[in-house]
Amino acid sequence: MEHFLEKYKIKLKVSSGKSENTMQSYFRDLNQYHSFLDTKLKIKSIKNVTLGNIRTYVRFLNDRGMSANSIKRAISSIRNYHNYLIEEKKMKDNPAYHIKTPKVNRKLPTVLTVHEIDIIFNSIPNNDKMAIRDQNIFELLYSCGLRVTELCDLKKDDIRADSGIIHIKGKGQKVRYVPIGPIPLKNLIDYIDNVRPDLAKSNPKVKEVFLSRNSKKLTRMMIWILLKKWTEHANIKKDISPHTLRHSFATHLLEGGADLRSVQEMLGHADITTTEIYTHLDKEHLKQVHREFHPRF
């Protein structure tokens, strides 16, 4: 069975347009699925897989305590894999077609208040080069709503200073243009002109904007560690990640009166229903205001 899976992986890499992280999740799902069919169900040919086999596998995932969201992704991966096998004439029907995916309750993301954002930013010193770099990282994540991988991949040529726009290559290599305000733009240009040259000394050809001490592109984990360091320094108790700054960007825009379509465009969401979660956050904000200030609550 494995050679079918390897061919499918090659096809996904070439044609799917998915991010590397998404691809790795799909591959883990399918590797585990194949292993279960082989070791637990003793199925040696993918052609013999039935609807009952896949239901057994889904129960196995559920018994292991896998989240509804992860099970939903695994079922989608399996269904798409069997569709590929039908296209390749290795199977006649898709045994995963009638598998029901679990309902996923959307968890409202953590956001920072504008005051908390200010506390973090104001706690970072402006007389240290690494701190100045970190300040600009957090400013871009919040001011432009970037995904952390988009920030890691950001290159100097992506910054269109004259027009106040940043060129972003997002999920599936989709390009979008995100506005950057005059204050974060000025700070970013100052960083590029006065701090980045020292960071790039041992690797002058490096194109990424944000670099480590050894002139290498920063990773997602490094940025997470930096944010944790500075939020603890600012005595912010919330459990936050770099994505929290993106959530805060969207929430604060909607609270300020921005329309949903514009926020969708800036975030790079393919489907507006993904953006709509922030309208729920906005409603929670209104309810909180009502609880705090209405005399009859």
Side-chain angles (χ1 to χ4, degrees), residues 18-34:
K18 301 288 186 184
S19 70
E20 183 61 28
N21 290 329
T22 300
M23 297 292 291
Q24 292 305 317
S25 296
Y26 287 167
F27 294 166
R28 281 194 300 271
D29 290 338
L30 292 171
N31 286 336
Q32 183 171 280
Y33 173 59
H34 258 244

Side-chain angles (χ1 to χ4, degrees), residues 191-215:
Y191 158 77
I192 290 173
D193 290 344
N194 301 313
V195 175
R196 189 183 177 281
D198 284 344
L199 297 179
K201 274 185 178 178
S202 63
N203 188 13
K205 292 184 178 180
V206 65
K207 295 181 179 180
E208 283 76 20
V209 172
F210 296 108
L211 306 173
S212 65
R213 292 181 186 274
N214 57 0
S215 304

